[in-house]
Amino acid sequence: MSFCPNCGQPLTRKIPPGDHLLRYVCTACGTIHYQNPRIIAGCVIETEGKLLLCKRAIEPRLGYWTHPAGFMENGESVAQGAAREAMEEALAKVKIGSLLSIVNVLHAHQVHITYRATLAEPGYGVGVESLETRLYDEAEIPWQDIAFLSVRFALQRYLEDRRLGVERMHGQDIDWQHGKLVTTER
Amino acid sequence: MSFCPNCGQPLTRKIPPGDHLLRYVCTACGTIHYQNPRIIAGCVIETEGKLLLCKRAIEPRLGYWTHPAGFMENGESVAQGAAREAMEEALAKVKIGSLLSIVNVLHAHQVHITYRATLAEPGYGVGVESLETRLYDEAEIPWQDIAFLSVRFALQRYLEDRRLGVERMHGQDIDWQHGKLVTTER
Ligand SMILES: [Zn+2]
Ligand SMILES: [Zn+2]
């Protein structure tokens, strides 16, 4: 971020009066431009006892597996965003269920919010952002080729809860500390 | 948003190839500038059986009551943001507990995420964004002067759960429909 979205003049970074963090502030009109974390809305879809996963056709982590998930859009709820991603990535019309996990990815300025889901209509396919989609039995899940730590966390907790017959909400923080990624369950 | 934050040249609004929504796109460098909902992190703080509320010193809803809540910052978790807001607005050091509610405020492009909390240390005060802070018994809560629908929802569900001895997660969507605000519990 280099120029003011309001007036087009150069930005500087400074701590505004009464604030405690460096912000982008316009050198001409004085507008403060805040930056905030973005929500990744997703869902773990179960049908016939199997989980529907997508092989990513885009970077980052092209070729790795994930449940449908992506940036939440203005004008939708988190659950609507999760259902939209299921349609876009797996051509799946889903019914969103209970909240499964909230994962704070601190270094990426993202919050990954994932719901349980089932197919509202039979059938699924391969969306433009996927190379392949597939139903996986628990024993077949490609744990070595999962795209993101937050996806691994959601899938693991989903399966543990299913074994126990419960639907809990799980929290995790992911951050770089001393040169490595550290995960903390909350 | 009128100018490109990357290069300072004018923006236009169009649907990029492969997309389905109008985006701000730079007329010079071509960068697409996505806009996404922001998270309001908050907590309902209980101590000695009472709830700690703040009378807002800032617009919107100046003079109305709320639990501590505000925009989540980059580099923190939702729970850390909720605890920071408790310190800023009520000078309260809190221990964050279970997730209480997720409220999608669709027309405002906001997701309000609220946790249960208790005081980690005795004492509280009046932060710069508050006119007054006060502990309220359930029977005293100023329901006519609550700042936001999402605050009312969180407080109501908190108190109902407390009566039942449970800690559930509650969801609500708020949106303008046909000229009025409509709330839907999820
Ligand atoms: Zn400016
Ligand atoms: Zn540009």
Side-chain angles (χ1 to χ4, degrees), chain A residues 2-3 5-8 20 23 36-38 72-75 77-78 104 106 109, chain B residues 2-3 5-8 23 36-38 72-75 77-78 104 106 109:
Chain A
S2 306
F3 297 92
N6 284 2
C7 77
H20 61 291
R23 309 286 184 185
N36 304 89
R38 295 199 291 173
M72 181 182 171
E73 301 275 10
N74 283 351
S77 67
V78 187
N104 296 282
L106 279 84
H109 308 153
Chain B
S2 305
F3 297 92
N6 284 3
C7 75
R23 310 286 184 184
N36 303 90
R38 295 200 291 174
M72 181 183 173
E73 301 274 10
N74 284 350
S77 68
V78 186
N104 298 282
L106 279 82
H109 307 155

PDB file of all heavy atoms in Angstrom, chain A residues 2-3 5-8 20 23 36-38 72-75 77-78 104 106 109, chain B residues 2-3 5-8 23 36-38 72-75 77-78 104 106 109:
ATOM      1  N   SER A   2       0.820   2.052  -1.094  1.00  0.00           N
ATOM      2  CA  SER A   2       1.719   3.203  -1.262  1.00  0.00           C
ATOM      3  C   SER A   2       0.970   4.515  -1.458  1.00  0.00           C
ATOM      4  O   SER A   2       1.494   5.579  -1.139  1.00  0.00           O
ATOM      5  CB  SER A   2       2.634   2.982  -2.467  1.00  0.00           C
ATOM      6  OG  SER A   2       3.315   1.739  -2.362  1.00  0.00           O
ATOM      7  N   PHE A   3      -0.248   4.427  -2.031  1.00  0.00           N
ATOM      8  CA  PHE A   3      -0.990   5.645  -2.365  1.00  0.00           C
ATOM      9  C   PHE A   3      -2.370   5.616  -1.704  1.00  0.00           C
ATOM     10  O   PHE A   3      -2.942   4.556  -1.486  1.00  0.00           O
ATOM     11  CB  PHE A   3      -1.125   5.784  -3.887  1.00  0.00           C
ATOM     12  CG  PHE A   3       0.196   5.941  -4.577  1.00  0.00           C
ATOM     13  CD1 PHE A   3       0.889   4.829  -5.063  1.00  0.00           C
ATOM     14  CD2 PHE A   3       0.781   7.198  -4.736  1.00  0.00           C
ATOM     15  CE1 PHE A   3       2.121   4.978  -5.677  1.00  0.00           C
ATOM     16  CE2 PHE A   3       2.013   7.349  -5.354  1.00  0.00           C
ATOM     17  CZ  PHE A   3       2.687   6.230  -5.828  1.00  0.00           C
ATOM     18  N   PRO A   5      -6.147   5.565  -1.293  1.00  0.00           N
ATOM     19  CA  PRO A   5      -7.297   5.173  -2.115  1.00  0.00           C
ATOM     20  C   PRO A   5      -8.325   6.302  -2.268  1.00  0.00           C
ATOM     21  O   PRO A   5      -9.093   6.302  -3.224  1.00  0.00           O
ATOM     22  CB  PRO A   5      -7.898   3.994  -1.347  1.00  0.00           C
ATOM     23  CG  PRO A   5      -6.790   3.483  -0.497  1.00  0.00           C
ATOM     24  CD  PRO A   5      -5.973   4.693  -0.124  1.00  0.00           C
ATOM     25  N   ASN A   6      -8.314   7.258  -1.362  1.00  0.00           N
ATOM     26  CA  ASN A   6      -9.268   8.373  -1.431  1.00  0.00           C
ATOM     27  C   ASN A   6      -8.843   9.456  -2.407  1.00  0.00           C
ATOM     28  O   ASN A   6      -9.662   9.981  -3.161  1.00  0.00           O
ATOM     29  CB  ASN A   6      -9.437   9.030  -0.055  1.00  0.00           C
ATOM     30  CG  ASN A   6     -10.297   8.209   0.870  1.00  0.00           C
ATOM     31  OD1 ASN A   6     -10.747   7.131   0.505  1.00  0.00           O
ATOM     32  ND2 ASN A   6     -10.510   8.717   2.057  1.00  0.00           N
ATOM     33  N   CYS A   7      -7.538   9.847  -2.363  1.00  0.00           N
ATOM     34  CA  CYS A   7      -7.106  11.018  -3.135  1.00  0.00           C
ATOM     35  C   CYS A   7      -5.941  10.739  -4.069  1.00  0.00           C
ATOM     36  O   CYS A   7      -5.568  11.616  -4.868  1.00  0.00           O
ATOM     37  CB  CYS A   7      -6.776  12.178  -2.191  1.00  0.00           C
ATOM     38  SG  CYS A   7      -5.191  12.022  -1.350  1.00  0.00           S
ATOM     39  N   GLY A   8      -5.324   9.554  -3.983  1.00  0.00           N
ATOM     40  CA  GLY A   8      -4.255   9.207  -4.917  1.00  0.00           C
ATOM     41  C   GLY A   8      -2.877   9.737  -4.563  1.00  0.00           C
ATOM     42  O   GLY A   8      -1.915   9.486  -5.291  1.00  0.00           O
ATOM     43  N   HIS A  20      -1.991   3.149  18.942  1.00  0.00           N
ATOM     44  CA  HIS A  20      -0.790   2.494  19.455  1.00  0.00           C
ATOM     45  C   HIS A  20      -0.088   1.668  18.377  1.00  0.00           C
ATOM     46  O   HIS A  20       0.899   1.005  18.645  1.00  0.00           O
ATOM     47  CB  HIS A  20      -1.143   1.618  20.656  1.00  0.00           C
ATOM     48  CG  HIS A  20      -2.120   0.527  20.320  1.00  0.00           C
ATOM     49  ND1 HIS A  20      -3.434   0.769  19.993  1.00  0.00           N
ATOM     50  CD2 HIS A  20      -1.967  -0.809  20.245  1.00  0.00           C
ATOM     51  CE1 HIS A  20      -4.045  -0.372  19.738  1.00  0.00           C
ATOM     52  NE2 HIS A  20      -3.183  -1.336  19.878  1.00  0.00           N
ATOM     53  N   ARG A  23       0.090   2.983  11.245  1.00  0.00           N
ATOM     54  CA  ARG A  23      -0.978   2.916  10.239  1.00  0.00           C
ATOM     55  C   ARG A  23      -0.499   3.601   8.968  1.00  0.00           C
ATOM     56  O   ARG A  23       0.382   4.456   9.015  1.00  0.00           O
ATOM     57  CB  ARG A  23      -2.224   3.673  10.729  1.00  0.00           C
ATOM     58  CG  ARG A  23      -2.706   3.305  12.099  1.00  0.00           C
ATOM     59  CD  ARG A  23      -3.380   1.966  12.133  1.00  0.00           C
ATOM     60  NE  ARG A  23      -3.927   1.689  13.466  1.00  0.00           N
ATOM     61  CZ  ARG A  23      -4.482   0.532  13.803  1.00  0.00           C
ATOM     62  NH1 ARG A  23      -4.589  -0.457  12.948  1.00  0.00           N
ATOM     63  NH2 ARG A  23      -4.929   0.340  15.030  1.00  0.00           N
ATOM     64  N   ASN A  36      -7.056  -4.900   8.307  1.00  0.00           N
ATOM     65  CA  ASN A  36      -7.631  -5.859   9.253  1.00  0.00           C
ATOM     66  C   ASN A  36      -7.578  -7.269   8.683  1.00  0.00           C
ATOM     67  O   ASN A  36      -7.505  -7.448   7.473  1.00  0.00           O
ATOM     68  CB  ASN A  36      -9.103  -5.481   9.527  1.00  0.00           C
ATOM     69  CG  ASN A  36      -9.244  -4.058  10.015  1.00  0.00           C
ATOM     70  OD1 ASN A  36      -9.381  -3.133   9.218  1.00  0.00           O
ATOM     71  ND2 ASN A  36      -9.198  -3.870  11.305  1.00  0.00           N
ATOM     72  N   PRO A  37      -7.631  -8.270   9.569  1.00  0.00           N
ATOM     73  CA  PRO A  37      -7.609  -9.660   9.107  1.00  0.00           C
ATOM     74  C   PRO A  37      -8.810  -9.974   8.211  1.00  0.00           C
ATOM     75  O   PRO A  37      -9.871  -9.368   8.334  1.00  0.00           O
ATOM     76  CB  PRO A  37      -7.685 -10.471  10.408  1.00  0.00           C
ATOM     77  CG  PRO A  37      -7.205  -9.543  11.473  1.00  0.00           C
ATOM     78  CD  PRO A  37      -7.670  -8.186  11.050  1.00  0.00           C
ATOM     79  N   ARG A  38      -8.591 -10.935   7.332  1.00  0.00           N
ATOM     80  CA  ARG A  38      -9.679 -11.375   6.461  1.00  0.00           C
ATOM     81  C   ARG A  38     -10.128 -12.782   6.861  1.00  0.00           C
ATOM     82  O   ARG A  38      -9.342 -13.580   7.384  1.00  0.00           O
ATOM     83  CB  ARG A  38      -9.210 -11.354   5.005  1.00  0.00           C
ATOM     84  CG  ARG A  38      -8.914  -9.921   4.556  1.00  0.00           C
ATOM     85  CD  ARG A  38      -8.895  -9.782   3.055  1.00  0.00           C
ATOM     86  NE  ARG A  38      -7.755 -10.452   2.454  1.00  0.00           N
ATOM     87  CZ  ARG A  38      -7.599 -10.576   1.124  1.00  0.00           C
ATOM     88  NH1 ARG A  38      -8.512 -10.106   0.297  1.00  0.00           N
ATOM     89  NH2 ARG A  38      -6.531 -11.176   0.636  1.00  0.00           N
ATOM     90  N   MET A  72     -14.149 -14.790   2.350  1.00  0.00           N
ATOM     91  CA  MET A  72     -15.530 -14.339   2.525  1.00  0.00           C
ATOM     92  C   MET A  72     -15.719 -13.014   1.784  1.00  0.00           C
ATOM     93  O   MET A  72     -14.828 -12.162   1.776  1.00  0.00           O
ATOM     94  CB  MET A  72     -15.798 -14.150   4.014  1.00  0.00           C
ATOM     95  CG  MET A  72     -17.193 -13.715   4.367  1.00  0.00           C
ATOM     96  SD  MET A  72     -17.326 -13.486   6.169  1.00  0.00           S
ATOM     97  CE  MET A  72     -18.957 -12.735   6.240  1.00  0.00           C
ATOM     98  N   GLU A  73     -16.885 -12.847   1.153  1.00  0.00           N
ATOM     99  CA  GLU A  73     -17.192 -11.636   0.382  1.00  0.00           C
ATOM    100  C   GLU A  73     -18.107 -10.712   1.182  1.00  0.00           C
ATOM    101  O   GLU A  73     -18.897 -11.174   2.013  1.00  0.00           O
ATOM    102  CB  GLU A  73     -17.932 -12.006  -0.908  1.00  0.00           C
ATOM    103  CG  GLU A  73     -17.194 -12.939  -1.845  1.00  0.00           C
ATOM    104  CD  GLU A  73     -16.248 -12.196  -2.770  1.00  0.00           C
ATOM    105  OE1 GLU A  73     -16.019 -10.983  -2.570  1.00  0.00           O
ATOM    106  OE2 GLU A  73     -15.719 -12.840  -3.693  1.00  0.00           O
ATOM    107  N   ASN A  74     -18.043  -9.425   0.874  1.00  0.00           N
ATOM    108  CA  ASN A  74     -19.021  -8.488   1.419  1.00  0.00           C
ATOM    109  C   ASN A  74     -20.432  -8.901   1.017  1.00  0.00           C
ATOM    110  O   ASN A  74     -20.649  -9.369  -0.101  1.00  0.00           O
ATOM    111  CB  ASN A  74     -18.756  -7.081   0.884  1.00  0.00           C
ATOM    112  CG  ASN A  74     -17.571  -6.413   1.574  1.00  0.00           C
ATOM    113  OD1 ASN A  74     -17.043  -6.925   2.559  1.00  0.00           O
ATOM    114  ND2 ASN A  74     -17.165  -5.271   1.065  1.00  0.00           N
ATOM    115  N   GLY A  75     -21.390  -8.764   1.924  1.00  0.00           N
ATOM    116  CA  GLY A  75     -22.792  -9.026   1.595  1.00  0.00           C
ATOM    117  C   GLY A  75     -23.235 -10.456   1.818  1.00  0.00           C
ATOM    118  O   GLY A  75     -24.383 -10.801   1.543  1.00  0.00           O
ATOM    119  N   SER A  77     -23.009 -14.002   4.676  1.00  0.00           N
ATOM    120  CA  SER A  77     -22.617 -14.472   5.997  1.00  0.00           C
ATOM    121  C   SER A  77     -21.449 -15.446   5.846  1.00  0.00           C
ATOM    122  O   SER A  77     -21.147 -15.904   4.737  1.00  0.00           O
ATOM    123  CB  SER A  77     -23.796 -15.170   6.677  1.00  0.00           C
ATOM    124  OG  SER A  77     -24.108 -16.367   5.993  1.00  0.00           O
ATOM    125  N   VAL A  78     -20.813 -15.779   6.972  1.00  0.00           N
ATOM    126  CA  VAL A  78     -19.714 -16.754   6.906  1.00  0.00           C
ATOM    127  C   VAL A  78     -20.234 -18.075   6.339  1.00  0.00           C
ATOM    128  O   VAL A  78     -19.593 -18.690   5.478  1.00  0.00           O
ATOM    129  CB  VAL A  78     -19.076 -16.986   8.289  1.00  0.00           C
ATOM    130  CG1 VAL A  78     -17.846 -17.873   8.152  1.00  0.00           C
ATOM    131  CG2 VAL A  78     -18.707 -15.665   8.966  1.00  0.00           C
ATOM    132  N   ASN A 104      -6.975 -18.956  13.938  1.00  0.00           N
ATOM    133  CA  ASN A 104      -6.337 -17.666  13.695  1.00  0.00           C
ATOM    134  C   ASN A 104      -4.969 -17.920  13.069  1.00  0.00           C
ATOM    135  O   ASN A 104      -4.112 -18.544  13.708  1.00  0.00           O
ATOM    136  CB  ASN A 104      -6.133 -16.916  15.018  1.00  0.00           C
ATOM    137  CG  ASN A 104      -7.453 -16.568  15.684  1.00  0.00           C
ATOM    138  OD1 ASN A 104      -8.125 -15.628  15.282  1.00  0.00           O
ATOM    139  ND2 ASN A 104      -7.836 -17.345  16.710  1.00  0.00           N
ATOM    140  N   LEU A 106      -2.057 -15.983  12.388  1.00  0.00           N
ATOM    141  CA  LEU A 106      -1.670 -14.622  12.770  1.00  0.00           C
ATOM    142  C   LEU A 106      -0.746 -13.968  11.752  1.00  0.00           C
ATOM    143  O   LEU A 106      -0.931 -12.797  11.401  1.00  0.00           O
ATOM    144  CB  LEU A 106      -1.056 -14.618  14.178  1.00  0.00           C
ATOM    145  CG  LEU A 106      -2.122 -14.636  15.296  1.00  0.00           C
ATOM    146  CD1 LEU A 106      -2.604 -16.027  15.590  1.00  0.00           C
ATOM    147  CD2 LEU A 106      -1.607 -13.948  16.534  1.00  0.00           C
ATOM    148  N   HIS A 109      -2.626 -12.800   8.688  1.00  0.00           N
ATOM    149  CA  HIS A 109      -3.737 -11.875   8.903  1.00  0.00           C
ATOM    150  C   HIS A 109      -5.044 -12.478   8.398  1.00  0.00           C
ATOM    151  O   HIS A 109      -5.815 -11.834   7.695  1.00  0.00           O
ATOM    152  CB  HIS A 109      -3.471 -10.515   8.231  1.00  0.00           C
ATOM    153  CG  HIS A 109      -2.157  -9.910   8.606  1.00  0.00           C
ATOM    154  ND1 HIS A 109      -1.463  -9.040   7.807  1.00  0.00           N
ATOM    155  CD2 HIS A 109      -1.386 -10.075   9.711  1.00  0.00           C
ATOM    156  CE1 HIS A 109      -0.336  -8.686   8.396  1.00  0.00           C
ATOM    157  NE2 HIS A 109      -0.258  -9.296   9.543  1.00  0.00           N
TER     158      HIS A 109
ATOM    159  N   SER B   2     -11.187   5.360  -4.697  1.00  0.00           N
ATOM    160  CA  SER B   2     -11.142   6.016  -6.008  1.00  0.00           C
ATOM    161  C   SER B   2      -9.816   5.836  -6.731  1.00  0.00           C
ATOM    162  O   SER B   2      -9.776   5.869  -7.958  1.00  0.00           O
ATOM    163  CB  SER B   2     -11.389   7.521  -5.851  1.00  0.00           C
ATOM    164  OG  SER B   2     -12.599   7.757  -5.160  1.00  0.00           O
ATOM    165  N   PHE B   3      -8.730   5.640  -5.947  1.00  0.00           N
ATOM    166  CA  PHE B   3      -7.401   5.552  -6.549  1.00  0.00           C
ATOM    167  C   PHE B   3      -6.699   4.263  -6.121  1.00  0.00           C
ATOM    168  O   PHE B   3      -6.955   3.733  -5.043  1.00  0.00           O
ATOM    169  CB  PHE B   3      -6.557   6.773  -6.146  1.00  0.00           C
ATOM    170  CG  PHE B   3      -7.130   8.069  -6.641  1.00  0.00           C
ATOM    171  CD1 PHE B   3      -8.010   8.805  -5.853  1.00  0.00           C
ATOM    172  CD2 PHE B   3      -6.815   8.550  -7.908  1.00  0.00           C
ATOM    173  CE1 PHE B   3      -8.560   9.997  -6.321  1.00  0.00           C
ATOM    174  CE2 PHE B   3      -7.359   9.733  -8.376  1.00  0.00           C
ATOM    175  CZ  PHE B   3      -8.237  10.461  -7.583  1.00  0.00           C
ATOM    176  N   PRO B   5      -4.188   1.901  -4.535  1.00  0.00           N
ATOM    177  CA  PRO B   5      -3.207   1.963  -3.447  1.00  0.00           C
ATOM    178  C   PRO B   5      -1.800   1.580  -3.896  1.00  0.00           C
ATOM    179  O   PRO B   5      -0.821   1.967  -3.271  1.00  0.00           O
ATOM    180  CB  PRO B   5      -3.742   0.952  -2.424  1.00  0.00           C
ATOM    181  CG  PRO B   5      -5.189   0.798  -2.742  1.00  0.00           C
ATOM    182  CD  PRO B   5      -5.294   0.979  -4.232  1.00  0.00           C
ATOM    183  N   ASN B   6      -1.685   0.845  -5.002  1.00  0.00           N
ATOM    184  CA  ASN B   6      -0.371   0.422  -5.502  1.00  0.00           C
ATOM    185  C   ASN B   6       0.334   1.500  -6.298  1.00  0.00           C
ATOM    186  O   ASN B   6       1.530   1.712  -6.157  1.00  0.00           O
ATOM    187  CB  ASN B   6      -0.506  -0.805  -6.410  1.00  0.00           C
ATOM    188  CG  ASN B   6      -0.733  -2.069  -5.626  1.00  0.00           C
ATOM    189  OD1 ASN B   6      -0.840  -2.038  -4.404  1.00  0.00           O
ATOM    190  ND2 ASN B   6      -0.827  -3.185  -6.326  1.00  0.00           N
ATOM    191  N   CYS B   7      -0.425   2.183  -7.213  1.00  0.00           N
ATOM    192  CA  CYS B   7       0.238   3.085  -8.162  1.00  0.00           C
ATOM    193  C   CYS B   7      -0.352   4.496  -8.164  1.00  0.00           C
ATOM    194  O   CYS B   7       0.194   5.391  -8.817  1.00  0.00           O
ATOM    195  CB  CYS B   7       0.220   2.489  -9.574  1.00  0.00           C
ATOM    196  SG  CYS B   7      -1.382   2.595 -10.391  1.00  0.00           S
ATOM    197  N   GLY B   8      -1.452   4.724  -7.440  1.00  0.00           N
ATOM    198  CA  GLY B   8      -2.005   6.074  -7.319  1.00  0.00           C
ATOM    199  C   GLY B   8      -2.866   6.534  -8.485  1.00  0.00           C
ATOM    200  O   GLY B   8      -3.375   7.653  -8.475  1.00  0.00           O
ATOM    201  N   ARG B  23     -15.576  -5.433  -8.944  1.00  0.00           N
ATOM    202  CA  ARG B  23     -14.399  -5.157  -8.115  1.00  0.00           C
ATOM    203  C   ARG B  23     -13.825  -3.805  -8.520  1.00  0.00           C
ATOM    204  O   ARG B  23     -14.014  -3.345  -9.645  1.00  0.00           O
ATOM    205  CB  ARG B  23     -13.313  -6.218  -8.350  1.00  0.00           C
ATOM    206  CG  ARG B  23     -13.762  -7.641  -8.269  1.00  0.00           C
ATOM    207  CD  ARG B  23     -14.015  -8.073  -6.847  1.00  0.00           C
ATOM    208  NE  ARG B  23     -14.372  -9.501  -6.800  1.00  0.00           N
ATOM    209  CZ  ARG B  23     -14.719 -10.124  -5.682  1.00  0.00           C
ATOM    210  NH1 ARG B  23     -14.785  -9.477  -4.535  1.00  0.00           N
ATOM    211  NH2 ARG B  23     -15.028 -11.399  -5.700  1.00  0.00           N
ATOM    212  N   ASN B  36     -13.356  -7.006   1.734  1.00  0.00           N
ATOM    213  CA  ASN B  36     -13.874  -8.139   2.498  1.00  0.00           C
ATOM    214  C   ASN B  36     -14.426  -7.669   3.839  1.00  0.00           C
ATOM    215  O   ASN B  36     -14.037  -6.619   4.330  1.00  0.00           O
ATOM    216  CB  ASN B  36     -12.739  -9.149   2.743  1.00  0.00           C
ATOM    217  CG  ASN B  36     -12.095  -9.627   1.454  1.00  0.00           C
ATOM    218  OD1 ASN B  36     -11.136  -9.013   0.986  1.00  0.00           O
ATOM    219  ND2 ASN B  36     -12.619 -10.657   0.859  1.00  0.00           N
ATOM    220  N   PRO B  37     -15.306  -8.485   4.423  1.00  0.00           N
ATOM    221  CA  PRO B  37     -15.869  -8.114   5.729  1.00  0.00           C
ATOM    222  C   PRO B  37     -14.783  -8.005   6.796  1.00  0.00           C
ATOM    223  O   PRO B  37     -13.748  -8.661   6.722  1.00  0.00           O
ATOM    224  CB  PRO B  37     -16.817  -9.276   6.051  1.00  0.00           C
ATOM    225  CG  PRO B  37     -17.133  -9.882   4.729  1.00  0.00           C
ATOM    226  CD  PRO B  37     -15.891  -9.738   3.910  1.00  0.00           C
ATOM    227  N   ARG B  38     -15.060  -7.189   7.791  1.00  0.00           N
ATOM    228  CA  ARG B  38     -14.137  -7.039   8.902  1.00  0.00           C
ATOM    229  C   ARG B  38     -14.737  -7.643  10.166  1.00  0.00           C
ATOM    230  O   ARG B  38     -15.958  -7.688  10.340  1.00  0.00           O
ATOM    231  CB  ARG B  38     -13.822  -5.554   9.115  1.00  0.00           C
ATOM    232  CG  ARG B  38     -13.073  -4.978   7.924  1.00  0.00           C
ATOM    233  CD  ARG B  38     -12.338  -3.701   8.257  1.00  0.00           C
ATOM    234  NE  ARG B  38     -13.240  -2.594   8.520  1.00  0.00           N
ATOM    235  CZ  ARG B  38     -12.818  -1.393   8.943  1.00  0.00           C
ATOM    236  NH1 ARG B  38     -11.533  -1.181   9.170  1.00  0.00           N
ATOM    237  NH2 ARG B  38     -13.685  -0.424   9.136  1.00  0.00           N
ATOM    238  N   MET B  72     -10.943  -6.054  15.018  1.00  0.00           N
ATOM    239  CA  MET B  72      -9.787  -6.923  15.190  1.00  0.00           C
ATOM    240  C   MET B  72      -8.612  -6.366  14.391  1.00  0.00           C
ATOM    241  O   MET B  72      -8.787  -5.869  13.276  1.00  0.00           O
ATOM    242  CB  MET B  72     -10.159  -8.319  14.696  1.00  0.00           C
ATOM    243  CG  MET B  72      -9.059  -9.351  14.835  1.00  0.00           C
ATOM    244  SD  MET B  72      -9.637 -10.929  14.129  1.00  0.00           S
ATOM    245  CE  MET B  72      -8.100 -11.874  14.228  1.00  0.00           C
ATOM    246  N   GLU B  73      -7.400  -6.455  14.964  1.00  0.00           N
ATOM    247  CA  GLU B  73      -6.194  -5.940  14.308  1.00  0.00           C
ATOM    248  C   GLU B  73      -5.388  -7.082  13.676  1.00  0.00           C
ATOM    249  O   GLU B  73      -5.439  -8.222  14.164  1.00  0.00           O
ATOM    250  CB  GLU B  73      -5.285  -5.257  15.343  1.00  0.00           C
ATOM    251  CG  GLU B  73      -5.911  -4.105  16.084  1.00  0.00           C
ATOM    252  CD  GLU B  73      -5.783  -2.790  15.331  1.00  0.00           C
ATOM    253  OE1 GLU B  73      -5.369  -2.808  14.151  1.00  0.00           O
ATOM    254  OE2 GLU B  73      -6.097  -1.752  15.935  1.00  0.00           O
ATOM    255  N   ASN B  74      -4.600  -6.763  12.659  1.00  0.00           N
ATOM    256  CA  ASN B  74      -3.633  -7.724  12.137  1.00  0.00           C
ATOM    257  C   ASN B  74      -2.661  -8.144  13.240  1.00  0.00           C
ATOM    258  O   ASN B  74      -2.256  -7.328  14.066  1.00  0.00           O
ATOM    259  CB  ASN B  74      -2.831  -7.093  10.989  1.00  0.00           C
ATOM    260  CG  ASN B  74      -3.638  -7.013   9.703  1.00  0.00           C
ATOM    261  OD1 ASN B  74      -4.726  -7.578   9.607  1.00  0.00           O
ATOM    262  ND2 ASN B  74      -3.106  -6.321   8.711  1.00  0.00           N
ATOM    263  N   GLY B  75      -2.297  -9.429  13.251  1.00  0.00           N
ATOM    264  CA  GLY B  75      -1.288  -9.908  14.189  1.00  0.00           C
ATOM    265  C   GLY B  75      -1.833 -10.363  15.528  1.00  0.00           C
ATOM    266  O   GLY B  75      -1.066 -10.748  16.410  1.00  0.00           O
ATOM    267  N   SER B  77      -5.163 -12.741  17.557  1.00  0.00           N
ATOM    268  CA  SER B  77      -6.280 -13.663  17.374  1.00  0.00           C
ATOM    269  C   SER B  77      -7.577 -12.937  17.722  1.00  0.00           C
ATOM    270  O   SER B  77      -7.550 -11.857  18.315  1.00  0.00           O
ATOM    271  CB  SER B  77      -6.102 -14.888  18.261  1.00  0.00           C
ATOM    272  OG  SER B  77      -6.229 -14.505  19.616  1.00  0.00           O
ATOM    273  N   VAL B  78      -8.715 -13.543  17.380  1.00  0.00           N
ATOM    274  CA  VAL B  78      -9.996 -12.932  17.733  1.00  0.00           C
ATOM    275  C   VAL B  78     -10.085 -12.767  19.249  1.00  0.00           C
ATOM    276  O   VAL B  78     -10.498 -11.710  19.748  1.00  0.00           O
ATOM    277  CB  VAL B  78     -11.188 -13.772  17.224  1.00  0.00           C
ATOM    278  CG1 VAL B  78     -12.496 -13.025  17.475  1.00  0.00           C
ATOM    279  CG2 VAL B  78     -11.053 -14.115  15.747  1.00  0.00           C
ATOM    280  N   ASN B 104     -23.430 -12.096  11.815  1.00  0.00           N
ATOM    281  CA  ASN B 104     -23.107 -11.514  10.521  1.00  0.00           C
ATOM    282  C   ASN B 104     -23.959 -10.261  10.320  1.00  0.00           C
ATOM    283  O   ASN B 104     -25.188 -10.360  10.281  1.00  0.00           O
ATOM    284  CB  ASN B 104     -23.427 -12.509   9.394  1.00  0.00           C
ATOM    285  CG  ASN B 104     -22.601 -13.777   9.490  1.00  0.00           C
ATOM    286  OD1 ASN B 104     -21.430 -13.787   9.124  1.00  0.00           O
ATOM    287  ND2 ASN B 104     -23.203 -14.846  10.001  1.00  0.00           N
ATOM    288  N   LEU B 106     -24.714  -8.077   7.616  1.00  0.00           N
ATOM    289  CA  LEU B 106     -24.412  -8.154   6.182  1.00  0.00           C
ATOM    290  C   LEU B 106     -24.287  -6.782   5.535  1.00  0.00           C
ATOM    291  O   LEU B 106     -23.371  -6.559   4.732  1.00  0.00           O
ATOM    292  CB  LEU B 106     -25.476  -9.016   5.465  1.00  0.00           C
ATOM    293  CG  LEU B 106     -25.218 -10.520   5.606  1.00  0.00           C
ATOM    294  CD1 LEU B 106     -25.729 -11.071   6.907  1.00  0.00           C
ATOM    295  CD2 LEU B 106     -25.774 -11.286   4.429  1.00  0.00           C
ATOM    296  N   HIS B 109     -20.961  -5.170   6.314  1.00  0.00           N
ATOM    297  CA  HIS B 109     -19.758  -5.936   5.952  1.00  0.00           C
ATOM    298  C   HIS B 109     -18.922  -6.228   7.191  1.00  0.00           C
ATOM    299  O   HIS B 109     -17.704  -6.031   7.196  1.00  0.00           O
ATOM    300  CB  HIS B 109     -18.923  -5.176   4.895  1.00  0.00           C
ATOM    301  CG  HIS B 109     -19.700  -4.768   3.694  1.00  0.00           C
ATOM    302  ND1 HIS B 109     -19.365  -3.722   2.892  1.00  0.00           N
ATOM    303  CD2 HIS B 109     -20.837  -5.285   3.161  1.00  0.00           C
ATOM    304  CE1 HIS B 109     -20.246  -3.589   1.917  1.00  0.00           C
ATOM    305  NE2 HIS B 109     -21.149  -4.531   2.062  1.00  0.00           N
TER     306      HIS B 109
END
